Amino acid sequence: MYASFRGRWILILPLALLFVANLATARPEEHQKKQLEIKTSEGSFKASGEPDPAHLGLPVYPGSKLQKGDNEGGLDVNWSASGKPTVRFVVAKYRSADSASKVIDFYKRRLGKDVTKFTEKADDGSTAFEIKRKMDQRVVSVKSIEGGTEIDLVHIEGLEDDSK
């Protein structure tokens, strides 16, 4: 039954994400709520185009700004099924005027020994911190851009990491 339910969510999720993306660009009003919520007898699905920093489980670099342009800021998705663990997927993109090295030093201090994998220089020029547990994965990616630094924060909770 779980496989059947999971299969349905795999079909619903891309459609819901497409809906949220279109909703976010459909009306440019700043006060517009960018979210979708579906509740059924089997569970619920909620997606927002404005990620909640509390759901990241990661520190946000001080003074950085969440990017709120067209499909730029991030996504906060939460879905649950009766009797199954809740799955949450949060992505947030921040920018800072500070240098990448200053931002990297901040995350080295704040994440410390929790980091399970550190990539100093990925193919795209970014530095990545990964914290992977059985049902909880978090990633911080820091990249130098013109005029400052881009910081991508990702948190996936409730799905088992089977990449080990």
Side-chain angles (χ1 to χ4, degrees), residues 27-159:
R27 289 175 278 165
E29 297 93 15
E30 190 63 34
H31 64 278
Q32 170 193 343
K33 269 197 163 184
K34 302 171 188 174
Q35 64 182 20
L36 168 69
E37 189 167 0
I38 301 170
K39 292 182 181 182
T40 70
S41 60
E42 293 184 32
S44 65
F45 174 87
K46 185 175 181 179
S48 173
E50 296 180 12
D52 183 342
H55 296 162
L56 285 167
L58 291 163
V60 175
Y61 185 74
S64 64
K65 303 287 184 215
L66 180 65
Q67 298 306 287
K68 292 189 177 186
D70 293 339
N71 299 322
E72 222 179 36
L75 190 62
D76 194 333
V77 177
N78 185 10
W79 73 92
S80 62
S82 300
K84 303 296 178 198
T86 297
V87 175
R88 180 177 298 277
F89 177 76
V90 186
V91 178
K93 183 177 292 226
Y94 288 86
R95 288 214 177 126
S96 172
D98 290 345
S99 70
S101 61
K102 188 172 181 180
V103 175
I104 290 166
D105 288 343
F106 168 83
Y107 281 105
K108 280 181 181 178
R109 286 190 313 275
R110 290 295 303 272
L111 300 177
K113 294 182 181 185
D114 288 338
V115 175
T116 55
K117 182 178 179 185
F118 175 73
T119 305
E120 182 130 18
K121 192 89 165 179
D123 292 340
D124 67 352
S126 66
T127 297
F129 301 84
E130 295 179 36
I131 301 170
K132 291 194 174 188
R133 306 279 186 278
K134 185 174 182 175
M135 299 288 281
D136 186 46
Q137 297 90 46
R138 302 165 201 228
V139 177
V140 174
S141 175
V142 177
K143 184 176 181 179
S144 182
I145 58 170
E146 187 176 327
T149 302
E150 185 175 83
I151 307 156
D152 294 332
L153 305 175
V154 178
H155 184 198
I156 302 170
E157 181 179 21
L159 291 176

Side-chain angles (χ1 to χ4, degrees), residues 9 11-23 35-36 38 45-47 75 77:
W9 277 113
L11 294 174
I12 292 171
L13 181 61
L15 293 173
L17 294 176
L18 180 61
F19 177 80
V20 169
N22 285 335
L23 182 65
Q35 64 182 20
L36 168 69
I38 301 170
F45 174 87
K46 185 175 181 179
L75 190 62
V77 177

